[in-house]
Amino acid sequence: MNIEIERKFLLKAIPKGEPVETIEIFQWYLKNSEGVWERARSCYSDVKGFYFVHTIKKNIAPGINEEDEKVISSEEFNQFVERCKVSQSKYISKERLIYPDGDLKWEVDVFNNGHHLIVAEIEVPSMEFEVKIPKFINDKLLMEVTGMKQFGNRNLSNKYINKQTSINSPI
């Protein structure tokens, strides 16, 4: 398990400048038998192509998560989605724009599921790390939302109702 320390910011628009990578993400959530939420993503990157990721994330404190993440096959992703369709689950789609900032990178998520939201995240190496917000983010900044559950991906996701209303991931 890795520890992830991140800060999140609500933006009023997409930052100016060209991202170094754009990723289309279809993300499904499923609560497992222990009551822990799991996530599986289908990603299409204009740099890396298709890939699939499974994650179990446990919140430790605002902005700090314990994260177990692994790359999975398209078959494993499809099996996860099928399990989601027969139980109480959620899904979300978003476009992720990657902007480098020194040794770090800003991930700007543009949500495509009925929410008009743009959220920028940055993973930092420690709690003591001072985040210096670059001009391209600061120009669009509304407020910091680190630790505000209503801006978490799972809370922004939609409940799966039936096969006719599901999203189709591009696999």
Side-chain angles (χ1 to χ4, degrees):
M1 293 258 179
N2 293 322
I3 299 296
E4 171 194 65
I5 304 168
E6 68 181 6
R7 303 271 301 274
K8 284 184 159 188
F9 302 87
L10 183 63
L11 304 182
K12 59 186 169 189
I14 296 171
K16 289 186 179 178
E18 280 297 312
V20 295
E21 183 179 11
T22 300
I23 308 167
E24 293 293 329
I25 298 173
F26 293 89
Q27 189 162 285
W28 287 82
Y29 294 93
L30 177 67
K31 193 180 279 191
N32 66 24
S33 58
E34 289 98 43
V36 177
W37 284 97
E38 297 182 38
R39 171 182 84 199
R41 285 181 172 166
S42 165
C43 304
Y44 177 74
S45 161
D46 63 352
V47 173
K48 301 173 190 164
F50 278 108
Y51 61 96
F52 306 88
V53 180
H54 177 266
T55 306
I56 298 175
K57 195 183 255 194
K58 296 177 187 172
N59 185 264
I60 298 172
I64 304 174
N65 297 295
E66 190 175 75
E67 186 176 75
D68 183 16
E69 191 167 81
K70 66 179 180 178
V71 175
I72 59 174
S73 69
S74 62
E75 292 81 18
E76 290 169 307
F77 175 79
N78 287 331
Q79 290 169 0
F80 186 91
V81 170
E82 287 306 312
R83 287 197 338 254
C84 288
K85 290 179 178 179
V86 296
S87 56
Q88 189 172 1
S89 63
K90 296 179 160 198
Y91 67 90
I92 197 166
S93 64
K94 62 185 178 178
E95 180 180 57
R96 174 166 285 171
L97 309 170
I98 308 294
Y99 297 90
D101 183 27
D103 292 337
L104 303 175
K105 65 181 176 181
W106 286 87
E107 298 176 339
V108 176
D109 289 345
V110 181
F111 291 90
N112 303 318
N113 65 332
H115 300 287
H116 183 68
L117 284 176
I118 302 169
V119 176
E121 298 179 1
I122 187 165
E123 282 191 37
V124 296
S126 70
M127 284 298 297
E128 298 77 32
F129 186 86
E130 182 183 346
V131 174
K132 295 178 181 147
I133 300 174
K135 183 172 177 17
F136 70 93
I137 295 290
N138 202 45
D139 286 347
K140 307 298 181 186
L141 182 65
L142 288 173
M143 63 189 265
E144 183 167 2
V145 295
T146 302
M148 296 174 72
K149 289 185 179 187
Q150 63 266 41
F151 292 100
N153 286 330
R154 195 176 73 236
N155 286 330
L156 294 171
S157 60
N158 298 316
K159 280 199 182 202
Y160 176 78
I161 309 265
N162 61 44
K163 290 183 182 183
Q164 286 75 37
T165 61
S166 71
I167 63 172
N168 296 312
S169 85
I171 51 177

